[in-house]
Amino acid sequence: MSLGQETYRVRLPQPDERGRLQTGYLVFVISLVLLSVSAAAAQDRGAGPDSPSPMSAGPPAATEEQENLFWQSIMNSTNPAEYEAYLEQFPNGVFRVLAQIRLAALRGTVDDPHAAEARVSVSPAPDSRISADGDEQPQPGEMFRDCDECPEMVVMPGGRLALGRYEVTVGEYRAFASATDGGAGGGCFSIVQGDSWRNPGFRQTDRHPVTCVSWNDVQEYVSWLSRTTGGTYRLPTEEEWGRAAAGSPTGCRNRGIHGGTCPVGSYGANGVALSDMVGNLWEWTEDCWEGNCGRRVLRGGSWTSYVGFLRPGARIWDRAALRISSFGFRVAKTLD
């Protein structure tokens, strides 16, 4: 055995002159960091005296790592100039739409940040919104449910994938179990004497994430969800999960052997409006571990994890049939 998503809603005051100076200094420091990283990368590639100079070759393209570093430095900011700096540096960045929403709210160009969140105030070009048959395409940041008992979904950058805003909850899983007269059985491995998803060994409500479900159990759930809604639900691939988890804050963790999980969304959201990507429960992904499909990859750490596992890059494996009280999942949906 192995070692084994709320959008910002508040309107805050505009920054004063001192705030703008601080922003200028922050942007200057971040620019130096980006230049240093680029220079180091060039040196690692073997750049020498005969290599073209950066000036002659033009500015290096910003990497995903640099963008994530920049976004993490401003994601909780109340200063519009910092979001302007992000949009200037990364005009097609992963967090572009969220930066535009927050910038509009901070400038006071929308009456209600809640409404801005729902509308996505700055729309992409019309040809990206309308498909060949004239249907409007889903936009990054949009949230939806396909049924009352379905998980709430968030459209990811690119518009072709949606991920669960939260880990699937006890209440959502209960709807599946009732509809199919099934669901995961017993045999859950729990350090607190639990025996099933209904009784994992600690107190839970319908807003807690469901645990004690195996990878095999999850396949039954997503199949039922697809049949019920007519959509294509599944587990996210490891690559999809990793991209969505970038910059995620640490959530429910270090609660001891008698602590248990936290209600979903207790620790806020990351830059693409997903909660609990780090902590609460290890999340099953679709992928096999190094080609062995009897073992499946889990990501993100859990309420029992040590600090070293509480990061977006953390990954472990376990058997597809195993049920553990620190394992759960969130769903993905392929969008047409």
Side-chain angles (χ1 to χ4, degrees):
M1 189 177 74
S2 72
L3 300 175
Q5 301 134 304
E6 283 287 333
T7 302
Y8 301 91
R9 299 174 183 274
V10 295
R11 186 198 305 272
L12 293 170
Q14 299 284 344
D16 56 14
E17 185 64 28
R18 181 180 177 187
R20 287 192 291 272
L21 290 174
Q22 289 174 336
T23 297
Y25 178 72
L26 174 61
V27 172
F28 174 71
V29 170
I30 292 175
S31 298
L32 288 179
V33 171
L34 297 177
L35 288 173
S36 298
V37 172
S38 298
Q43 186 173 10
D44 289 343
R45 290 193 299 269
D50 298 328
S51 301
S53 70
M55 294 298 292
S56 63
T63 67
E64 181 180 337
E65 181 179 359
Q66 291 167 354
E67 182 186 355
N68 287 336
L69 174 66
F70 199 125
W71 181 254
Q72 289 176 49
S73 71
I74 68 167
M75 62 187 294
N76 296 318
S77 175
T78 61
N79 190 337
E82 295 181 2
Y83 296 106
E84 291 173 348
Y86 168 84
L87 291 169
E88 181 177 355
Q89 182 72 24
F90 306 99
N92 298 312
V94 172
F95 309 108
R96 174 179 60 90
V97 173
L98 285 171
Q100 291 168 335
I101 291 172
R102 295 184 193 174
L103 187 58
L106 289 168
R107 284 173 171 168
T109 55
V110 292
D111 295 331
D112 182 2
H114 298 262
E117 173 190 321
R119 290 197 302 266
V120 184
S121 59
V122 181
S123 300
D127 61 348
S128 70
R129 291 182 57 89
I130 307 299
S131 66
D133 59 6
D135 292 333
E136 185 171 337
Q137 299 299 295
Q139 296 302 295
E142 288 184 7
M143 299 181 189
F144 66 90
R145 291 183 193 270
D146 284 335
C147 65
D148 290 342
E149 297 82 15
C150 294
E152 185 174 12
M153 308 297 291
V154 182
V155 180
M156 293 291 99
R160 299 300 180 186
L161 173 73
L163 290 180
R165 185 178 183 185
Y166 309 114
E167 293 159 332
V168 171
T169 66
V170 172
E172 290 160 353
Y173 196 81
R174 191 189 312 280
F176 152 69
S178 298
T180 61
D181 195 25
C188 176
F189 176 80
S190 175
I191 60 176
V192 285
Q193 304 303 311
D195 56 23
S196 73
W197 68 270
R198 291 184 171 87
N199 175 33
F202 47 81
R203 180 183 176 276
Q204 60 179 8
T205 68
D206 279 357
R207 288 294 294 167
H208 282 71
V210 68
T211 186
C212 291
V213 288
S214 69
W215 188 91
N216 293 336
D217 297 327
V218 174
Q219 298 307 305
E220 294 182 13
Y221 175 83
V222 295
S223 293
W224 169 79
L225 203 55
S226 296
R227 293 193 306 272
T228 301
T229 64
T232 305
Y233 282 89
R234 55 181 174 81
L235 281 173
T237 66
E238 191 176 3
E239 187 274 335
E240 291 167 343
W241 193 100
R243 285 185 59 83
S248 293
T250 301
C252 183
R253 78 282 190 194
N254 300 333
R255 290 169 59 80
I257 64 172
H258 299 296
T261 57
C262 302
V264 296
S266 295
Y267 286 79
N270 66 7
V272 289
L274 304 181
S275 296
D276 308 310
M277 296 296 284
V278 176
N280 226 8
L281 291 173
W282 284 103
E283 297 182 13
W284 291 108
T285 69
E286 188 65 26
D287 291 356
C288 306
W289 180 271
E290 299 179 358
N292 183 346
C293 291
R295 302 173 176 180
R296 296 287 176 165
V297 178
L298 299 103
R299 296 292 298 267
S302 79
W303 63 277
T304 65
S305 293
Y306 295 108
V307 173
F309 287 108
L310 292 168
R311 54 190 178 84
R315 59 194 298 266
I316 61 171
W317 64 266
D318 229 318
R319 292 179 290 117
L322 193 67
R323 297 170 180 142
I324 295 183
S325 63
S326 56
F327 289 2
F329 69 104
R330 78 179 65 226
V331 295
K333 182 184 180 184
T334 302
L335 302 176
D336 298 328

